Amino acid sequence: MVKTFLVTGGAGFIGSAVVRELIQHTSHRVVNVDKLTYAGNLESVAPVADDARYRFIQADICDAPAMAAAFAEHQPDVVMHLAAESHVDRSIDGPAAFVETNLVGTYVLLEAARAYWRGLLEADPERARDFRFHHISTDEVYGDLEGPEGLFTESTPYAPSSPYSASKAGSDHLVRAWQRTYGLPTLVTNCSNNYGPYHFPEKLIPLMILNALAGKPLPVYGDGGQIRDWLYVEDHARALIQVATGGAVGETYNIGGHNEKTNLEVVETLCDLLQELRPPAADGHYRDLITFVQDRPGHDRRYAIDAGKIERELGWVPRETFESGLRKTVAWYLQNQDWWQRVLDGSYQGERLGVGV
Ligand code: NAD
């Protein structure tokens, strides 16, 4: 059955992958609701923006009348909530926006969804029964793991370290409370670090690729020994759509790639891939650009996900290994200089209203 998906944050890194996946590989309709902060880039949905099944609304999820209007006009079957402030370093410098969007915004969206769903219960109980509110979150809500053993499961207690992860943890609690208290049919997913095409160049992997290409230093926090579990963004997008359409109401699913790497290993692998695919003009190796810089406060040491539940219950498995996904990512940045050049020089923000509105 063709459904209407209301995707918040669909101009962001993961949201745009979800939007592209839905339009390119399913017959569903998509309404993309995005405020277009610095992290929102409509050029990331340009490949699907002209499709008749795609709509874009520029709106803030904290704006209750705008959210009510979006629900009333588009009558969604599924909400996939990805809009968030998402960068840990920014949350340390300025936590207010994280509290506002991640907590207040999630509350406003939940209330808009609840009012709409209650209307459905009276008007169309079958559609109300099938309605889903899927909240997309992070493994950072679990804090960090001591030593090399152990994995985050869906029952690991929350222990967030940064203003970012604390605001995401709070939003997860709100979503679960709206399910327990009001019966809103919700789902939560917590995923490990994503990487892939269309990733904003402030995050580790694209930052390192672009710095290396420019011959700039590759800054690695502390000793580079922090361990993250990496997942290719398109594998995450497919997992999210599987959960939104097939997950059990009230459940949480952890999503991860079984790819635990230290930050230093990631940077060294990127250097080696670039050395092969785009050797530097002068003699030398990209690895020579690696420099160690002072660690960030509260930096979690290790995250690692047990994705067994989503694999067992929904049959999801990632298609990419770390090696194949990273190779695709480096190749994408080499082939799509226009996209990242326009992010670096700020011109991606100038044409916001020109695409897909
Ligand atoms: P992103 O920063 O690339 O994109 C966020 C999007 O939300 C942007 O398009 C931005 O314009 C929009 N947005 C921000 N505030 C808004 C508001 N008030 N109203 C409407 N739109 C707003 O983030 P991302 O990396 O794509 O992450 C998406 C979600 O997935 C987030 O909730 C994040 O916590 C979660 N997540 C991210 C990762 C990761 O590795 N990037 C891993 C696990 C979970």
Side-chain angles (χ1 to χ4, degrees):
M1 186 191 132
V2 176
K3 295 186 175 194
T4 298
F5 284 65
L6 190 155
V7 179
T8 71
F13 170 48
I14 301 171
S16 69
V18 169
V19 169
R20 294 191 306 272
E21 178 71 21
L22 281 167
I23 296 293
Q24 289 173 336
H25 297 118
T26 77
S27 49
H28 299 306
R29 291 178 288 266
V30 174
V31 180
N32 177 4
V33 175
D34 198 297
K35 180 181 175 182
L36 298 182
T37 67
Y38 80 94
N41 185 350
L42 288 178
E43 293 173 23
S44 303
V45 287
V48 300
D50 292 333
D51 196 290
R53 290 178 291 122
Y54 173 78
R55 290 284 178 281
F56 173 66
I57 301 172
Q58 184 171 5
D60 187 334
I61 56 164
C62 300
D63 180 343
M67 292 306 105
F71 277 92
E73 184 182 349
H74 294 285
Q75 301 280 307
D77 302 286
V78 180
V79 175
M80 295 180 77
H81 175 33
L82 296 103
E85 289 290 338
S86 70
H87 190 48
V88 176
D89 288 344
R90 284 178 187 259
S91 83
I92 295 169
D93 295 340
F98 289 71
V99 172
E100 186 64 18
T101 286
N102 299 358
L103 283 166
V104 178
T106 299
Y107 157 74
V108 169
L109 193 69
L110 281 166
E111 282 295 79
R114 184 164 75 92
Y116 163 74
W117 173 70
R118 284 180 53 167
L120 274 187
L121 276 175
E122 284 173 23
D124 191 343
E126 209 168 311
R127 277 195 73 205
R129 192 199 57 212
D130 292 342
F131 177 76
R132 296 290 181 270
F133 184 105
H134 176 187
H135 176 64
I136 286 81
S137 192
T138 165
D139 63 352
E140 299 192 31
V141 299
Y142 298 124
D144 64 355
L145 293 159
E146 290 291 327
E149 302 300 320
L151 298 169
F152 297 131
T153 71
E154 289 79 0
S155 54
T156 300
Y158 276 27
S161 307
S162 70
Y164 163 65
S165 53
S167 65
K168 290 297 293 186
S171 66
D172 295 7
H173 291 318
L174 289 177
V175 172
R176 294 197 182 98
W178 259 241
Q179 199 272 319
R180 289 283 298 271
T181 306
Y182 304 113
L184 188 71
T186 66
L187 300 143
V188 176
T189 49
N190 296 87
C191 186
S192 58
N193 276 39
N194 282 216
Y195 69 98
Y198 301 99
H199 205 180
F200 198 80
E202 68 183 350
K203 302 283 175 95
L204 179 76
I205 287 179
L207 179 77
M208 295 299 161
I209 295 173
L210 301 193
N211 274 17
L213 289 174
K216 291 185 186 164
L218 306 180
V220 172
Y221 279 131
D223 62 0
Q226 306 87 354
I227 294 173
R228 302 290 179 264
D229 181 354
W230 292 94
L231 180 66
Y232 191 63
V233 67
E234 291 173 11
D235 278 324
H236 188 196
R238 282 187 287 268
L240 293 177
I241 294 165
Q242 253 179 283
V243 169
T245 52
V249 168
E251 290 295 316
T252 295
Y253 298 89
N254 279 354
I255 308 172
H258 303 297
N259 288 310
E260 283 185 53
K261 305 284 174 198
T262 66
N263 284 348
L264 186 58
E265 279 176 306
V266 170
V267 176
E268 288 176 345
T269 310
L270 283 172
C271 289
D272 296 349
L273 280 166
L274 281 169
Q275 197 74 23
E276 177 194 330
L277 298 172
R278 179 72 58 86
D283 280 352
H285 197 289
Y286 287 109
R287 283 189 184 215
D288 300 337
L289 297 170
I290 295 174
T291 46
F292 295 93
V293 299
Q294 191 181 3
D295 210 352
R296 70 158 67 119
H299 206 168
D300 288 332
R301 198 69 191 161
R302 174 170 174 258
Y303 305 137
I305 278 274
D306 177 354
K309 178 174 171 181
I310 185 173
E311 293 174 4
R312 277 191 312 277
E313 297 187 8
L314 300 179
W316 171 84
V317 279
R319 290 182 191 163
E320 302 296 339
T321 63
F322 186 66
E323 287 65 31
S324 68
L326 211 56
R327 182 173 285 274
K328 279 189 175 179
T329 305
V330 171
W332 188 88
Y333 279 89
L334 291 175
Q335 286 155 14
N336 288 275
Q337 183 163 353
D338 275 2
W339 182 88
W340 54 262
Q341 199 61 57
R342 290 170 58 72
V343 175
L344 292 185
D345 67 24
S347 52
Y348 75 107
Q349 294 181 304
E351 293 191 4
R352 284 182 157 175
L353 297 176
V355 189
V357 182

